[in-house]
Amino acid sequence: MHKAQRLVQLIMLVNERMRFTVQELADECGVSRRTMIRDLMELGELGVPLYSEVGAGGGYRVLREKVLPPISFTEQEAMALFFAAQSLRNYRSLPFGNEVEGALHKFFHYLSSDLKAKIIRMQQRLVFWVPPHELEAPHLGELFEAALEQRVVTLLYESSSLRERNIQPLGIYTMNGLWYCQAYCFSTGEYRVFRVDRVQSCQPAKDQSVRLDAGGEPIDKWIMRPAENADLVLEVELTPEGARRCRTDVWLAKTLRVHDDGSGSIRTPMPDSYVPWAVHFFLGLGVEANVKGPKQVREGIHGKLREMLVQYEE
């Protein structure tokens, strides 16, 4: 086996193991102990984070950040990676922090000059537009890790007031430039959605024994799913303009019925926790929407209109 092939094999071997000895790797690769020591030294120079432990039971181990073996890409595959990365450019916060930019910088360095020029042109001519928000989401990475490991975390969460909540994140998703965490809330005993930018602190909960078996259902199955206690019914009549504007909302668009004349109607189960959102949304549509029910939304809109009349009274 050539040395280059041996080093690639070695990177894959050390990535698979928590710890190992020089002799174990030498036997597996069919080389002498001395050669293996030289190979491990070269891996260290290439950036593989190896840590040696001396004494009985000692050996080597790889630090938490593992290094992948070299991978070959076609030009189209390289373009596809930068194409995907374009969708993230307008997000102020990402679960991986600056790792995306770091990975792309390394990757870009080894591309041919022709391909570099082509990618630069693509970046100048293509944009995935999301509303640029100035809201920080400093605990996005922690919630993402908790979702991956299915850990219970304790949040200090800002909604109408600042409250402490114990939740088990099921997954993270983004919509309209904002990040959301779908989770089970032990404080309320319900599945809830949390705005990540409203999380003021996040730490592992002391009691992990309450952790639920979330199963293998992907997060996209949860997005905009009505809560189990959706005992209200949202019923709205819409003008053509109201129907057009409701199409831009992911949840409302699922149940929007458009008539031949362009007007529309909505009738769908709705949990009580959606009431404040529905009041603000349909109030913003003005005369383009007529909310027939539930009465909580109608009363909320009526109350806001009274407040506005007082505010704008001469």
Side-chain angles (χ1 to χ4, degrees), residues 3 9-10 21 119 133 138-139 150 153 228-229 275 314:
K3 181 179 180 180
Q9 180 188 6
L10 194 55
T21 66
I119 288 172
H133 294 281
H139 302 288
Q150 284 300 283
V153 293
E228 293 176 357
N229 62 339
V275 169
E314 290 292 342

Side-chain angles (χ1 to χ4, degrees), residues 205-238:
K206 294 178 181 178
D207 184 10
Q208 295 290 325
S209 64
V210 297
R211 186 168 57 178
L212 302 176
D213 181 5
E217 192 170 33
I219 185 61
D220 59 355
K221 301 297 182 183
W222 286 91
I223 298 176
M224 304 309 292
R225 174 193 286 182
E228 293 176 357
N229 62 339
D231 49 3
L232 302 179
V233 177
L234 177 66
E235 190 172 358
V236 189
E237 291 180 357
L238 300 156

Side-chain angles (χ1 to χ4, degrees), residues 257-274:
R257 183 180 177 186
V258 180
H259 309 307
D260 292 339
D261 63 353
S263 63
S265 59
I266 292 171
R267 183 179 174 83
T268 182
M270 184 184 79
D272 183 68
S273 60
Y274 280 28

